[in-house]
Amino acid sequence: MTQEIGGFAALGIHSAVLAAISAVGYEEPSPIQAQAIPVILGGHDMIGQAQTGTGKTAAFALPILSKIDPAKREPQALILAPTRELALQVATAFETYSKQLPGVGVVAVYGGAPMGPQLKAIRQGAQVIVATPGRLVDHLSRNSELLSTIRFLVLDEADEMLKLGFMDDLEVIFEAMPESRQSVLFSATLPHSIRAIAEKHLREPQHIKIAAKTQTVARIEQAHLMVHADQKIQAVLRLLEVEDFDALIAFVRTKQATLDLAAALEAKGYKAAALNGDIAQNQRERVIESLKDGRLDIVVATDVAARGLDVARITHVFNVDMPYDPESYVHRIGRTGRAGREGRALLLVTPRERRMLQVIERVTNQKVAEARLPNAQQVLDARIKKLTNSLAPLVADAETTHGELLDKLVADIGCSPRALAAALLRKATNGQALTLAEVEKEQPLVPTSGPRERSERSDRPERSGDRERRAPIPLAEGRARCRTPLGARDGIAARNLLGAILNEGGLAREAIGRIQVRDSFSLVELPEDGLDRLLGKLKDTRVGGKQLKLRRYRED
Ligand code: AMP
């Protein structure tokens, strides 16, 4: 387990934090993490020039958590973020990375929510406060000692904070903290005002910047698509319908994401496999061989696992998760366009990652045009075209070989040749949607549980206490258990069910809880909220050719 997070272990992170990173599936530090973590662990002040998408949150969260003293139940780290949304995201990240650190609590402090619960969480001993400046100043006006025990300060997206006019609030906050603290400032840009703050409030800060060299990528047609994070799998499935690819490599960030996407693709009938750091060398070689000889068409990989992968058949690269920096983007898309062929590279961009797209365009000196997700009509046209192409070569001698049988069947059944041909088509296409209305129905691209909702859920006060208390309860809050009559004896594995529900239900991976496959049935935990609608959507879903028939399950 620790082998694939070796890159992190070498940086000197606390073992409990390493365990949490391993659980989330990070395989190696991103460039900003590799540079910033040793500096922060070394106790230095730091200025990091990095934007969202580079892994900057973990770059400060991991070393800070490694240095928190869980025995001291008082505020030790303060992270300032410009917006409520970012504060919630950062708090969630701290929560995730501190899962294996008992006694460490995180509280998000932001405006628009009552102050009482925030104060209570601080009083109960949360060591990490993630706050927006305005609301923190409100708290300070009631309790001026609030920040007197702070040892670590992070200004996240400092340039944004200044743009939002938080300069005066920042000064009040600086005054309320001990001077002996360690301070870290992250900013995408370093205008004069930021340098002035650093000059005044940081002590001999080390500068960290991910150098961006200009790179050129010829012969590869590039495009990007804007999508929400929880719609990525749906977006990939839709794109695959219309992209004319030979072999394809899809890049994601975590092990879990390789498994989820590969499962969703397999459930749709693609010859796909995951490639991540957990996969043994010989198995990895088998995957690459299979991609070369066509037993596989799609490999879903992390950057580390795809190292050295050179397969001439690859016509497409899908950047499903954003790369950390332009260099790795160039590296990724260089997997296609091999041996003088044309390649195509698509990049999915979530709204938060727009900036990274601009950086990529600057460094590669090329515009990455925006493409649109294919609509239902385009999906339908592509399906019909594929069907036509697959049937056309069969027509030539079919009448000679099966003409007589057709006449007999038509006579025996008493139907028209058209009716029989239609029935055969339905059978051959395995219930695939082939009318516009059907295709429209099966393409759910509506966010169900976005990152925002997730962060808010985890922002309840008294979280660390909750975590302990909740542990023995079998069914998580807000989840319902559902049952399908499909089980191991139908050849069903958990990943098939997961794939089908992700595909057809349009759910985020996180929304799906435990899946238990028994011999003659299976149980799946799904969100209670919107369950009836979800079950409605899954009404006609088939897994392994059989009806899923997922129903609410009551144990009594
Ligand atoms: P950030 O730049 O902090 O907004 O992070 C962007 C995304 O990258 C987040 O979804 C993180 O969970 C993810 N991430 C951060 N570090 C790593 C890593 N070393 N390996 C894989 N994913 C990461």
Side-chain angles (χ1 to χ4, degrees), residues 254-334:
T254 65
K255 263 180 275 189
Q256 191 57 48
T258 63
L259 300 175
D260 291 348
L261 182 54
L265 293 171
E266 272 194 289
K268 277 282 177 196
Y270 291 104
K271 292 185 278 176
L275 202 60
N276 62 48
D278 269 358
I279 290 169
Q281 187 57 26
N282 55 357
Q283 169 65 10
R284 182 192 135 87
E285 278 157 19
R286 269 204 297 276
V287 168
I288 296 174
E289 275 314 304
S290 304
L291 189 65
K292 280 188 183 154
D293 66 24
R295 273 173 295 158
L296 280 177
D297 292 329
I298 305 180
V299 166
V300 186
T302 55
D303 289 288
V304 193
R307 241 173 232 160
L309 191 151
D310 182 4
V311 176
R313 270 186 76 219
I314 297 177
T315 52
H316 283 61
V317 170
F318 277 14
N319 294 282
V320 179
D321 289 335
M322 200 35 113
Y324 297 113
D325 49 31
E327 284 73 26
S328 76
Y329 173 76
V330 172
H331 204 228
R332 282 179 177 189
I333 71 171

Side-chain angles (χ1 to χ4, degrees), residues 30-42 46 48 59-60 63 186 208:
S30 69
I32 190 89
Q33 291 163 3
Q35 290 196 46
I37 291 172
V39 173
I40 302 177
L41 282 176
M46 196 195 92
F60 59 78
F186 273 97
I208 281 184

Side-chain angles (χ1 to χ4, degrees), residues 8 25-30 33 51-58 97 253-254 324 352:
F8 280 111
Y26 297 176
E27 297 193 324
E28 62 159 16
S30 69
Q33 291 163 3
Q51 51 263 310
T52 298
T54 51
K56 67 178 166 60
T57 315
Y97 305 138
R253 284 199 168 177
T254 65
Y324 297 113
R352 293 178 58 218

